[in-house]
Amino acid sequence: MAYDRSNIFARILRGEIPCKKVYEDAFALAFHDINPQAPVHVLVLPKGEYVSWADFSANAPDTLIAGYVRAIGKVARELGLEAPGYRILSNAGEDGQQTVAHLHVHLFGGRKLGAMLVKH
Ligand code: AMP
């Protein structure tokens, strides 16, 4: 799937739409999810035009991959989630129910989280 520069996270990264920022560096931006599913629900995005984990892992430069992965760890640490624990998750494609086509990791915490998947 080709990257669409009009997606909402691209617009947030360009500063065209506001966000509740929690962290930013040269590689990543993190902000609170607009529809939180846990007491802490933060999204961490790489600064680069990548649709999904598959796209990013295959095509991003090593410096960005390293910077992004480190940023995710740093955000969890800075939010005080390391000791109590947390969950990271990235939805991809139709079966994964990804709704925004710019790679993002969800970071959940702040309470004992439920089952990993809802059974249907
Ligand atoms: P996904 O379904 O994995 O693609 O996740 C997209 C997430 O982005 C959802 O959890 C939405 O609540 C969240 N979201 C959509 N628009 C915004 C926005 N403008 N600011 C913050 N979070 C958003």
Side-chain angles (χ1 to χ4, degrees), residues 77-88:
R77 202 171 309 131
E78 289 185 0
L79 290 170
L81 295 175
E82 232 171 51
Y86 61 94
R87 180 174 295 159
I88 57 174

Side-chain angles (χ1 to χ4, degrees), residues 25-45:
D25 65 18
F27 307 107
L29 173 69
F31 52 86
H32 291 282
D33 196 291
I34 206 166
N35 181 24
Q37 306 296 311
V40 179
H41 183 174
V42 165
L43 303 171
V44 192
L45 285 53

Side-chain angles (χ1 to χ4, degrees), residues 87-109:
R87 180 174 295 159
I88 57 174
L89 176 153
S90 187
N91 296 316
E94 203 176 323
D95 280 0
Q97 301 210 36
Q98 179 179 7
T99 59
V100 182
H102 180 115
L103 172 63
H104 52 284
V105 162
H106 297 255
L107 199 161
F108 302 102

